[in-house]
Amino acid sequence: MIPPQEASVRRREIEDKLKQEEETLSFIRDSLEKSDQLTKNMVSILSSFESRLMKLENSIIPVHKQTENLQRLQENVEKTLSCLDHVISYYHVASDTEKIIREGPTGRLEEYLACMAKIQKAVEYFQDNNPDSPELNRVKFLFERGKESLESEFRSLMTRHSKVVSPVLILDLISGEDDMETQDDMTLEHLSESVLHDVIRISRWLVEYGRNQDFMNVYYQIRSSQLDRSIKGLKEHFRKSSSSSGVPYSPAIPNKRKDTPTKKPVKRPGHEHDFRVKHLSEALNDKHGPLAGRDDMLDMEIDAYIHCVSAFVKLAQSEYQLLTDIIPEHHQKKTFDSLIQDALDGLMMEGENIVSVARKAIIRHDYSAVLTVFPILRHLKQTKPEFDQVLQGTAASTKNKLPGLITSMETTGAKALEDFADNIKNDPDKEYNMPKDGTVHELTSNAILFLQQLLDFQETAGAMLASQETSSSATSYNSEFSKRLLSTYICKVLGNLQLNLLSKSKVYEDPALRAIFLHNNYNYILKSLEKSELIHLVAVTQKTAERSYRDHIEQQIQTYQRSWLKVTDYISEKNLPVFQPGVKLRDKERQMIKERFKGFNDGLEELCKIQKAWAIPDTEQRDKIRQAQKTIVKENYGAFLHRYASVPFTKNPEKYIKYRVEQVADMIERLFDTSA
């Protein structure tokens, strides 16, 4: 049981604690009441703020919308004013630009094109918005007038500044094609940079806005004329240079190529040496005598034509480069095709004229003229890849012109070669045309000369012959095939020549002179073949040709030597009387010895007199034949003298023993010497 005192204390504690709790509760209650009051006040304030915001929004939004409308109206007014200014400006275009359009674009192209742009826009505006406006007609008139002025300015610029390329510059361009150091410096400048800029600007405007292609015709007509005149000027340069000095000369670039020792003409493009056409004697013709005075003229024509062909390629390349800057891409090939036609047709026509002349010459059996075709044909074939590249994209008829000319030349050349071979075989035996001294016949020298010309054109001549082949081997044409064809042809000509010489030799009644004639001709042929290296070409198909000619030569020498038998037979041992020393000869024996001496003397004198007028031009062969004959005669005559000089067969030995051995040798030494 709790004591009363503790219980009292405990109660007071509880009461105190209760009192504290009540005070706390009272404080919380007061705080809640204050909080409620504050909340009510805040709610009241917010409600009031919301009410004011709603009033403000209701007042501001209409004002804002009204302001937006006002701004839009202002923008519309400004745009309208701008549009009005823009529209009004179109009405002023005609008056603003008329003076400039009337004065033309010369010297003020950019300003002029700017005016044309304004007029173009005005035309478009009036067409779209007011097609019935008189202003449309006015600006249209100005536009057409401006376009005509631009076309006129284009023509004027092209006409005034398109100059003929000088022959010297063309020759330098051709000569420098293999010189890489000078190649960059040799680019042609047809138009100055400023003029080219103006021409390009006008052409682009005419294409884009002028809707006009007439200027392209103007362009190709002007440039075509300049190209044609440039090439003709080069040809005229050759003609004048040839007539005045014989030396078409290009001073700007030294000519590093090999020339003939007597002349220094400009090297033909693409060749290692300058080939001079040597004309055959008209012995190949029905007429006789040299073709005097034609060499230099034909040589000039060949050089001129070859240079004109190379000039066309170079100038055409240059023209195409210029054209690509001025003419729209899809019109470039067609315009270029038209541009080069006159110059190309001129070259092709001249080439066909050369072919025509060669054909007429062949009919006359003048085969020297066909030699003009060889250097030209070779150059055309060497130039063909460049030609094909230049003519890329042109019409088929344009591309086929050069191949057509090449085919024509090959056909004519092949015809000439075949006719020449036949003419060599069938050249008539004219007695008055035979050399009296048995020297080389004109036919032989001319035939060899003709064949020697072919050495410089082996591939060309081979291709000519191959062009006429129909065999399957011809379809697989190559240089070896060409070489074999040419070798076969040369062997054919030589064979025909040999047959003709044999036939001609029958004109001589004296077999010895006949042998000397054949010997001289065979020896000339062999030496010429060896000297000109024709022998190597012949050996392609006839390995034994050289040995065969040597056999023929030796055979004719032996035939000639038999002519001396009628002399040496008198002093040979056969049928000579046999006698004993000291035994007196019978009359018959003495008479026989006299006849032998007389026959030898008369025969020796007759042969020496006749054969002294004969000729053997080859010194080596002449000495060889003389020496061989001296050896034979000296041996026989020496033995004869040794046997009978001391025999008393006559009272007048000096009448029969007219010559000593040395005198006989000296007489033979003077054979074949017309000056002795």
Side-chain angles (χ1 to χ4, degrees):
M1 186 173 178
I2 301 172
Q5 190 177 356
E6 291 181 3
S8 177
V9 174
R10 179 75 174 166
R11 187 173 56 251
R12 279 197 303 270
E13 289 177 355
I14 293 172
E15 288 176 353
D16 289 339
K17 190 173 182 180
L18 181 60
K19 186 177 179 180
Q20 289 177 354
E21 292 293 335
E22 287 177 352
E23 289 176 354
T24 300
L25 181 60
S26 177
F27 175 76
I28 291 172
R29 188 179 294 113
D30 291 341
S31 296
L32 286 173
E33 288 177 355
K34 288 179 181 181
S35 176
D36 288 340
Q37 187 61 39
L38 289 173
T39 300
K40 288 179 181 179
N41 291 339
M42 180 59 69
V43 170
S44 176
I45 291 170
L46 290 174
S47 297
S48 175
F49 184 71
E50 182 180 5
S51 175
R52 291 180 180 182
L53 279 178
M54 289 181 65
K55 290 180 181 180
L56 180 61
E57 183 179 344
N58 292 333
S59 300
I60 292 299
I61 287 177
V63 173
H64 176 69
K65 289 182 178 180
Q66 188 176 8
T67 302
E68 281 185 340
N69 290 335
L70 289 173
Q71 289 176 339
R72 192 176 297 110
L73 288 173
Q74 183 180 3
E75 290 175 359
N76 289 339
V77 169
E78 290 175 352
K79 288 180 179 179
T80 302
L81 290 174
S82 175
C83 288
L84 285 173
D85 289 340
H86 182 66
V87 170
I88 291 171
S89 70
Y90 288 130
Y91 286 86
H92 293 292
V93 165
S95 57
D96 291 344
T97 60
E98 185 173 9
K99 182 173 181 292
I100 295 175
I101 297 301
R102 186 174 61 251
E103 292 175 352
T106 304
R108 57 200 295 181
L109 181 61
E110 292 302 327
E111 181 183 2
Y112 195 88
L113 291 177
C115 290
M116 289 298 294
K118 291 180 181 179
I119 296 171
Q120 172 76 11
K121 289 180 180 178
V123 170
E124 292 173 354
Y125 171 79
F126 287 121
Q127 284 178 336
D128 293 340
N129 298 282
N130 194 0
D132 298 327
S133 170
E135 286 296 326
L136 176 59
N137 293 330
R138 189 177 177 190
V139 291
K140 269 188 173 182
F141 173 78
L142 278 178
F143 183 81
E144 292 301 321
R145 183 173 179 177
K147 185 171 73 170
E148 290 174 2
S149 294
L150 285 171
E151 292 171 352
S152 178
E153 178 70 2
F154 183 88
R155 179 187 293 273
S156 176
L157 287 172
M158 292 301 303
T159 303
R160 284 187 287 115
H161 297 280
S162 291
K163 305 297 182 185
V164 173
V165 183
S166 71
V168 170
L169 186 56
I170 294 175
L171 289 173
D172 291 341
L173 185 68
I174 297 172
S175 299
E177 65 184 353
D178 298 325
D179 192 342
M180 299 307 294
E181 295 178 0
T182 60
Q183 185 66 30
D184 293 339
D185 299 332
M186 295 308 299
T187 303
L188 292 176
E189 185 182 77
H190 295 289
L191 302 173
S192 66
E193 187 175 347
S194 59
V195 172
L196 181 60
H197 174 269
D198 288 352
V199 169
I200 292 173
R201 290 284 286 121
I202 294 174
S203 69
R204 289 179 180 174
W205 188 93
L206 290 173
V207 170
E208 187 173 356
Y209 302 107
R211 306 291 190 270
N212 189 348
Q213 298 180 7
D214 291 344
F215 78 95
M216 299 181 198
N217 296 331
V218 171
Y219 177 86
Y220 91 70
Q221 289 167 1
I222 293 173
R223 294 307 307 172
S224 175
S225 174
Q226 301 305 324
L227 174 61
D228 192 39
R229 288 169 59 194
S230 296
I231 294 176
K232 288 179 179 176
L234 177 63
K235 185 178 179 182
E236 183 67 14
H237 172 75
F238 269 85
R239 188 187 67 79
K240 289 181 179 178
S241 298
S242 177
S243 61
S244 61
S245 64
V247 183
Y249 178 59
S250 172
I253 296 181
N255 184 12
K256 300 178 181 179
R257 300 178 177 96
K258 179 179 178 183
D259 297 314
T260 57
T262 56
K263 296 182 181 180
K264 289 187 179 180
V266 175
K267 157 74 179 62
R268 284 181 187 158
H271 304 313
E272 293 300 326
H273 62 280
D274 183 50
F275 171 73
R276 294 297 182 196
V277 176
K278 304 179 182 69
H279 291 282
L280 306 182
S281 164
E282 287 192 5
L284 295 181
N285 309 346
D286 293 332
K287 300 171 284 184
H288 297 273
L291 300 177
R294 290 178 54 190
D295 286 13
D296 291 341
M297 181 60 67
L298 282 171
D299 204 34
M300 181 279 294
E301 291 177 1
I302 294 170
D303 275 340
Y305 187 73
I306 285 176
H307 277 84
C308 285
V309 169
S310 291
F312 172 81
V313 173
K314 292 297 178 185
L315 292 176
Q317 289 172 342
S318 180
E319 287 292 344
Y320 189 75
Q321 291 173 357
L322 177 66
L323 177 143
T324 54
D325 292 329
I326 299 172
I327 304 300
E329 184 176 357
H330 53 289
H331 291 286
Q332 289 173 2
K333 295 295 184 183
K334 182 179 179 182
T335 303
F336 180 69
D337 196 343
S338 301
L339 189 155
I340 62 173
Q341 284 304 313
D342 286 348
L344 182 58
D345 286 344
L347 283 177
M348 296 301 107
M349 185 178 298
E350 190 172 349
E352 288 295 346
N353 288 340
I354 292 171
V355 173
S356 178
V357 169
R359 285 175 182 153
K360 292 176 182 177
I362 294 169
I363 295 174
R364 300 192 308 269
H365 302 299
D366 176 10
Y367 300 103
S368 62
V370 79
L371 294 174
T372 60
V373 173
F374 282 82
I376 293 173
L377 176 58
R378 178 174 66 182
H379 185 66
L380 289 179
K381 296 183 79 170
Q382 289 176 344
T383 313
K384 187 176 181 297
E386 286 185 273
F387 247 98
D388 293 342
Q389 185 177 7
V390 169
L391 300 183
Q392 253 185 341
T394 57
S397 58
T398 302
K399 293 178 182 176
N400 292 334
K401 287 180 180 179
L402 180 64
L405 179 59
I406 289 175
T407 300
S408 181
M409 285 190 170
E410 283 188 332
T411 302
T412 301
K415 170 68 174 169
L417 292 176
E418 291 302 322
D419 281 10
F420 176 77
D422 292 340
N423 190 70
I424 292 294
K425 182 178 181 180
N426 301 318
D427 186 70
D429 302 330
K430 298 177 180 178
E431 186 173 351
Y432 65 84
N433 195 38
M434 294 296 288
K436 303 300 182 183
D437 56 1
T439 189
V440 178
H441 195 280
E442 202 172 25
L443 178 67
T444 302
S445 60
N446 286 324
I448 294 299
L449 179 59
F450 186 88
L451 294 179
Q452 286 173 343
Q453 308 305 304
L454 300 184
L455 277 177
D456 289 320
F457 305 99
Q458 294 184 37
E459 289 191 10
T460 304
M464 283 179 176
L465 297 169
S467 68
Q468 306 305 304
E469 289 287 319
T470 56
S471 62
S472 58
S473 60
T475 59
S476 57
Y477 169 76
N478 53 43
S479 59
E480 187 61 31
F481 178 68
S482 165
K483 197 172 184 179
R484 292 190 65 82
L485 275 180
L486 187 57
S487 175
T488 301
Y489 171 77
I490 292 174
C491 291
K492 177 182 178 181
V493 171
L494 293 175
N496 289 350
L497 177 60
Q498 186 172 338
L499 290 174
N500 201 321
L501 290 172
L502 284 170
S503 176
K504 289 183 185 300
S505 68
K506 296 175 183 177
V507 171
Y508 298 114
E509 294 180 1
D510 190 333
L513 181 55
R514 190 182 308 154
I516 291 297
F517 170 75
L518 291 175
H519 164 273
N520 283 333
N521 282 271
Y522 291 155
N523 184 63
Y524 177 82
I525 293 171
L526 178 59
K527 291 295 177 65
S528 298
L529 292 178
E530 292 174 335
K531 186 176 180 180
S532 65
E533 299 183 0
L534 271 170
I535 194 68
H536 300 308
L537 198 53
V538 170
V540 172
T541 54
Q542 276 198 15
K543 305 292 185 183
T544 62
E546 184 176 0
R547 188 176 71 233
S548 176
Y549 273 110
R550 295 193 187 282
D551 291 344
H552 288 318
I553 292 168
E554 189 59 37
Q555 182 182 349
Q556 298 310 317
I557 292 175
Q558 293 173 6
T559 301
Y560 162 74
Q561 289 174 341
R562 284 197 289 272
S563 70
W564 282 82
L565 290 177
K566 63 183 179 180
V567 175
T568 57
D569 276 352
Y570 283 107
I571 57 177
S572 63
E573 292 188 8
K574 65 180 181 178
N575 300 323
L576 286 175
V578 179
F579 58 89
Q580 297 295 326
V583 177
K584 186 178 179 181
L585 295 176
R586 290 175 297 179
D587 291 342
K588 182 179 179 181
E589 292 173 336
R590 286 196 297 270
Q591 185 61 34
M592 183 179 292
I593 295 172
K594 290 178 183 178
E595 289 176 357
R596 295 302 174 91
F597 269 106
K598 187 177 185 304
F600 173 79
N601 293 335
D602 292 345
L604 176 66
E605 291 168 358
E606 181 185 1
L607 280 185
C608 287
K609 181 181 177 181
I610 294 173
Q611 295 186 7
K612 185 171 70 172
W614 297 353
I616 299 179
D618 189 315
T619 304
E620 181 182 347
Q621 287 292 313
R622 184 168 65 240
D623 292 343
K624 175 184 175 182
I625 292 174
R626 284 173 176 172
Q627 187 60 43
Q629 204 57 52
K630 281 195 297 185
T631 301
I632 296 172
V633 176
K634 283 173 65 178
E635 287 180 358
N636 284 274
Y637 187 60
F640 185 76
L641 276 182
H642 180 72
R643 173 177 291 188
Y644 296 106
S646 58
V647 174
F649 66 92
T650 180
K651 294 179 181 180
N652 301 309
E654 65 277 359
K655 178 181 177 181
Y656 297 98
I657 308 176
K658 296 173 64 174
Y659 303 104
R660 299 188 307 275
V661 174
E662 291 73 16
Q663 287 177 305
V664 171
D666 186 58
M667 292 172 69
I668 296 175
E669 185 64 30
R670 291 196 294 272
L671 296 178
F672 316 117
D673 187 357
T674 56
S675 64

